[in-house]
Structures are given as structure tokens and as C-alpha cells.
Amino acid sequence: MDPKQLQIKNFTYALPDERIAVYPLADRDASKLLVFKKGKILEDVYRNIALHLPEGSLLVLNDTKVVEARLLFQKPTGGSIEIFCLAPHTQYADITTAMTQKSKVWWNCLIGGASKWRHGAVLEKKMDTGKGTIILQASIAERLPDSFTVEMRWEPAGLSFAEILHYAGVIPLPPYIKREADEKDEERYQTIYARQQGSVAAPTAGLHFTESIFQSLSKRKIEYDFVTLHVGAGTFKPVKSDSMKDHIMHAEFIDVRYETIEKLLQNTGKIFCVGTTSLRTVESLYWMGVKIKRDKDLAVDQLPITQWEVYDGLATYKIPARESLLALLEWMKHRKMERLVTQTQIIMAPGYDFNIISGLITNFHQPQSTLLLLVAAIIGEDWKRVYRYALENDYRFLSYGDGCLLFTRATETQA
């Protein structure tokens, strides 16, 4: 099956508004868990997830941290302008570099009320932090086809942009949660292991995990490790084209330690990803190794995975996962790289063969979304049965909702 020819109309279902979770449950690990394995559906709750995973397996989680990416400015005339920080300008090597900028930064943004922002006008926001006053100014540096480049300057100049966002911004809840973010969201729209600042959306499969769950994993000799993929607003971008060949997949930054890739190498055949972002990262690492296997002198700027190359140019060069990861590690070692910071635009849809993972822990996704295509790539047409069961049995959907553990068809017999 060629994913480019897929019709998005075949990946839809009726999602009533009342099934969308507007608030999280009081306890993270009390969310319902649907387990799909060997064609059968089991029900449980997240606090028991360790019982459904093979002993000795490896969980991969995304430790990105959601930043307060919504900035609200009041115009002198009384109107309001909202700036939504999407991604750093291309002049910065990665998100971490951009987030640590001091005194000023350029950022690609969506602007609510842009037509009311007069050309050349500078917006200003003053905040009392209890330790002093912060002054943040914003001006449009460039108009792009579907966004804007905004220059932001601030005082005191010694603060980083990450600190400015913390003081001035608001947590950006997904557009389908139709309410304003409150103080509780600052805690609950983050995983308990969030470390690396840079996402505008949470890796929501990880929102269910608690210290108690991690302790239960250890008792079953299930290891876990972390990668970083900074989630962009593109994760909510609907597929508007009839066929996938006309849809442009969003690119996202990934950051993975050398030691983590070593651990992947040691656990091939028993790796489970917590969330689609972790899965995108791990499978992208495989294809980067394939690229390097073809060309050991591959330049760093040639490493990113583009949308279709895993189906086109790279597909004929598939190798075992161990060979790929070894090639990637040797390439990094030769360049004395302790971390791999790059980008991926990979799209996984029916027709994609998984190379590293044995299963996925994920929430229930929107109709006609690339995330639903990814689920269909894992369990095939059974996605319809799984989602129908969830709807008929009072599962809560999307970011603050319940979730599922899906075993890939090729590896579901291992546990």
C-alpha cells in the first residue's frame, strides 16, 4: 500500500463533543486503559499498565516540557492581540539555543487579531513578578505565507526567553479544549518527568504516568529511558487534502543522547513507546542509521528525515534494526557527539513497516488526523473496532482523556 494514495475520508469517525475530555481526572493513573493484542480487547486502568507489558522490555518516553507559548498583549486603544509562539526562527540551531537567548529573540508565530496590528507598531506588556518589573515588547519582523516572524525584546536583558515566557505567557491548551487554561493546567498539562523546554503541546500519553507506575515497572524489570521531541502546533493540523500526497507533514526537533541509542540497541525487539512523539523519534533514528549505512560520511545537515523518503529513496535500503543503530552510534562516536540534535518530518501511515518498536501507548486521536493514520499503521483496519469499542464504553478522548496499549501486528506474539 502506498501511503501517498490514502484517502483521508477513510480515516474518520463520529466524535461527539461530550466525549472530549475537557479536564483531567483527579488521579493521573486512574484513566482507563484499553489493551489491544492478538486481535483482542482488554480493559484496565493505567496504574496496572506494567502487568500488560513484557518483563524485561524498554519503555521510551518523551521528556519535553510545554512552554507558556500564548502571549496576550493589550493595545493602547483597548483591543487585544494574541501571539502564539510556534517555533524558533531558522537562525537558531535548535530550540534549546533559542530558549536561552537573552534580551531579544526572533520567533515564528501565529497572531490572533493581526489585522488590528498596525505596521511598525510595537506592542508592550509590563509584568510585576514580585521581584521587579519585566517589560516585553513585540514587533512584526516578517510576514510569512501562514505565520509571522516576531521580534521580541525585554528588560531585564539578563533573563532568558524561557524565563520571559514563564512570566508573560499562558499554557496553550489544544484548540478542541474549549476553555481558558487555569493554574491546575500548569501542573496537569505536563508529564511528571518533563525536563526539556520547547513544546507547545504535551506528549499526552505520558500524562497518565505517576511515580507509582514507574515503581511497578521496575518490579517487573521493565526499564525506561527518555528522548526529546519538541511538539509543534502542527500536531493539531488537520489533513485538508483528499489524499495524503498533498498533505505537508510538520517537522519537529528531536534530541537524543548517545547512551539512549545504546540502550535501544541493547533492547531491539522489546521496545514500547509512550506516545506518538517518542515513536516518531525512535523510528526516525532507525532511518538515520540507514542513511549513514549508505554513506558513512553523511553530513549533519543531511541527517533529517523528510516526509516521504522512507517510502521512496530509503525503502530499498532497509537493514536490521541493530545494524542501523550501530551505524548511527559509530557515526556519532566518530564526530564525538554525545547528543543527536536534528529534525524529523516522518509520516507513518498504513503501508509503513515498523523497524524498532513492539508497541505503542497512546491516547485516542482526532478523526482525519496524521496521529490516527499512525494508529492504523500499527493495527491496520482494527483501529475502527478499537475506536468503536472506546466510544461505546465511555472512554474519554483526546489530550486529557483515556488511552490504549497497542501491540504491533508483527510483534504482538512476544508477550
Side-chain angles (χ1 to χ4, degrees), residues 61-354:
L61 306 100
N62 183 4
D63 65 359
T64 188
K65 188 172 186 177
V66 182
V67 296
E68 296 91 338
R70 289 181 63 213
L71 296 167
L72 303 175
F73 287 83
Q74 290 293 321
K75 295 171 58 183
T77 56
S80 63
I81 301 288
E82 177 181 326
I83 297 175
F84 188 96
C85 299
L86 291 175
H89 191 268
T90 53
Q91 67 181 280
Y92 306 111
D94 52 50
I95 288 182
T96 301
T97 301
M99 293 294 287
T100 55
Q101 294 298 303
K102 297 183 178 180
S103 77
K104 68 176 182 178
V105 74
W106 279 31
W107 215 267
N108 291 337
C109 307
L110 297 177
I111 298 176
S115 61
K116 303 173 186 175
W117 192 346
R118 183 170 49 82
H119 179 73
V122 177
L123 301 179
E124 185 171 284
K125 184 181 183 75
K126 291 185 179 180
M127 298 144 286
D128 186 358
T129 67
K131 300 179 181 179
T133 300
I134 293 175
I135 300 174
L136 173 64
Q137 295 182 326
S139 58
I140 295 176
E142 184 181 9
R143 294 178 183 269
L144 304 171
D146 56 359
S147 61
F148 298 81
T149 299
V150 176
E151 181 184 64
M152 284 174 267
R153 295 174 176 267
W154 57 88
E155 292 287 346
L159 295 176
S160 68
F161 186 56
E163 292 172 299
I164 292 297
L165 287 179
H166 179 68
Y167 287 120
V170 177
I171 287 287
L173 292 179
Y176 45 72
I177 296 181
K178 301 185 185 306
R179 65 173 176 82
E180 289 297 314
D182 57 31
E183 288 185 9
K184 196 168 186 178
D185 293 307
E186 293 182 15
E187 174 197 357
R188 293 304 303 275
Y189 197 60
Q190 301 278 13
T191 62
I192 66 167
Y193 48 82
R195 298 288 183 273
Q196 310 298 332
Q197 297 184 99
S199 280
V200 299
T204 55
L207 296 181
H208 308 286
F209 278 69
T210 60
E211 290 296 343
S212 176
I213 285 181
F214 284 117
Q215 290 170 13
S216 67
L217 292 171
S218 297
K219 289 178 182 177
R220 282 180 54 80
K221 297 182 173 57
I222 297 171
E223 291 188 89
Y224 52 89
D225 205 345
F226 302 95
V227 295
T228 304
L229 181 144
H230 292 302
V231 190
T235 193
F236 302 118
K237 183 180 178 182
V239 179
K240 295 182 178 179
S241 55
D242 291 334
S243 64
M244 290 308 300
K245 65 181 175 63
D246 298 317
H247 177 73
I248 299 176
M249 189 68 176
H250 54 287
E252 292 168 314
F253 277 100
I254 63 174
D255 186 340
V256 186
R257 296 177 302 119
Y258 184 94
E259 292 82 1
T260 300
I261 302 174
E262 282 186 314
K263 193 170 287 187
L264 292 173
L265 176 65
Q266 295 160 7
N267 289 276
T268 54
K270 48 183 178 178
I271 295 170
F272 291 79
C273 285
V274 178
T276 58
T277 57
S278 300
L279 189 153
R280 280 166 55 80
T281 302
V282 168
E283 288 289 317
S284 294
L285 294 175
Y286 168 82
W287 290 108
M288 290 173 188
V290 172
K291 279 188 171 186
I292 291 165
K293 193 72 174 175
R294 289 177 58 197
D295 178 8
K296 61 181 177 61
D297 296 320
L298 193 76
V300 173
D301 61 3
Q302 295 175 305
L303 200 59
I305 301 299
T306 58
Q307 179 168 336
W308 296 116
E309 67 177 319
V310 303
Y311 304 98
D312 296 336
L314 292 180
T316 56
Y317 295 92
K318 284 195 68 169
I319 55 177
R322 288 185 57 82
E323 283 187 37
S324 170
L325 294 173
L326 273 171
L328 180 56
L329 286 168
E330 290 172 3
W331 183 85
M332 290 177 66
K333 188 175 183 179
H334 179 70
R335 287 160 179 75
K336 299 179 180 178
M337 296 170 65
E338 296 181 358
R339 293 165 50 229
L340 183 66
V341 181
T342 184
Q343 286 185 295
T344 183
Q345 196 186 9
I346 192 171
I347 184 169
M348 284 171 276
Y352 181 86
D353 293 323
F354 291 90

Side-chain angles (χ1 to χ4, degrees), residues 43-57:
E43 280 201 51
D44 209 331
V45 292
Y46 263 87
R47 63 172 59 100
N48 297 328
I49 194 169
L51 300 176
H52 300 283
L53 293 164
E55 285 196 18
S57 53

Side-chain angles (χ1 to χ4, degrees), residues 8-28:
I8 195 61
K9 67 182 180 181
N10 296 325
F11 298 88
T12 193
Y13 66 95
L15 177 58
D17 287 344
E18 61 268 21
R19 304 313 298 276
I20 298 173
V22 179
Y23 290 94
L25 295 182
D27 298 319
R28 289 177 183 264

